[in-house]
Amino acid sequence: GTVGRPYAGMEVAIAGDGEILARGPLTTPGYLNRPGLTEDLLDPDGWLHTGDIGTIDADGFVSVTDRKKELIITAGGENIAPAAVENALVAHPLIGQALAYGDRRPYVAALLTLDGEAAPAWARARGITASSLAELASDPQVLAEVAAGVAAANQQLARVQQVKRWHLLPVEWTAETEELTPTLKLKRRVVHAKYADVIDSIYS
């Protein structure tokens, strides 16, 4: 679950905002003929700003949890890594995909989709008949189970990370529908744009 310890001769530290910093003979001296970019990359103390968010445990093992540019900064100034929230949510078998949102908002909200294989099987085992995922997404028993999944995820999260409101979408996210990359990573900007009205309704 970690990327290991720093290589001999290398230093790794965590900045105040959670960014992983590295310093030592294996880092780049900067961008060729691009002093502005080099200044952004390397600080005066020689630390290279990786752009990754992470932690270092007591034994020196480094974990990468998110990209800094993906950080949610709430209206209260809290920095939240959305991947941590999303990973907790999709741990529930019914939840196929999750997107945590909350930039400049008072709390974290989430857009959720059902797992296209697990949800129909779960429903059949409970005698729920539905002809589509869209129909399942509006079923009271399914919604109650997803709510239980969100509550379970919140128990694993710090208070500022917890999802206060959520919306279960009647669709799947795939590479074909453009919410995911071919390697099944979330395209956040696409989801933000495509479901802007849903996000606004969550907060209104």
Side-chain angles (χ1 to χ4, degrees):
T2 79
V3 297
R5 291 190 176 105
Y7 194 75
M10 294 295 296
E11 298 176 85
V12 174
I14 306 297
D17 61 1
E19 184 177 13
I20 299 172
L21 309 179
R23 183 167 64 181
L26 300 182
T27 60
T28 178
Y31 290 93
L32 182 63
N33 301 324
R34 304 290 294 275
L37 290 177
T38 297
E39 189 174 310
D40 291 338
L41 180 69
L42 297 163
D43 67 24
D45 294 323
W47 289 106
L48 183 144
H49 291 245
T50 65
D52 290 318
I53 299 296
T55 59
I56 304 173
D57 69 17
D59 296 316
F61 286 88
V62 179
S63 295
V64 180
T65 56
D66 218 326
R67 288 291 292 163
K68 184 175 179 179
K69 65 181 181 181
E70 307 292 1
L71 278 183
I72 293 169
I73 303 176
T74 66
E78 299 284 356
N79 287 0
I80 297 167
V85 179
E86 293 154 2
N87 290 340
L89 290 167
V90 299
H92 191 282
L94 280 194
I95 300 174
Q97 297 287 342
L99 178 131
Y101 192 84
D103 210 40
R104 299 184 298 278
R105 301 283 193 166
Y107 54 82
V108 176
L111 295 179
L112 308 174
T113 69
L114 290 173
D115 185 291
E117 294 182 5
W122 183 93
R124 282 193 301 272
R126 287 155 183 80
I128 301 169
T129 56
S131 59
S132 65
L133 273 185
E135 195 175 331
L136 273 182
S138 62
D139 183 272
Q141 289 185 65
V142 173
L143 288 168
E145 184 64 20
V146 170
V150 174
N154 281 339
Q155 290 182 351
Q156 310 300 317
L157 298 168
R159 187 171 181 179
V160 296
Q161 296 175 303
Q162 292 176 0
V163 175
K164 301 293 189 292
R165 297 191 67 189
W166 52 274
H167 183 90
L168 182 62
L169 296 167
V171 296
E172 273 191 281
W173 289 344
T174 66
E176 288 72 27
T177 58
E178 298 186 342
E179 292 93 352
L180 304 181
T181 69
T183 56
L184 305 183
K185 292 179 182 175
L186 203 54
K187 292 183 179 177
R188 296 184 186 280
R189 291 179 186 174
V190 170
V191 176
H192 292 167
K194 199 168 184 178
Y195 298 99
D197 56 338
V198 178
I199 292 169
D200 287 341
S201 71
I202 289 174
Y203 288 101
S204 62

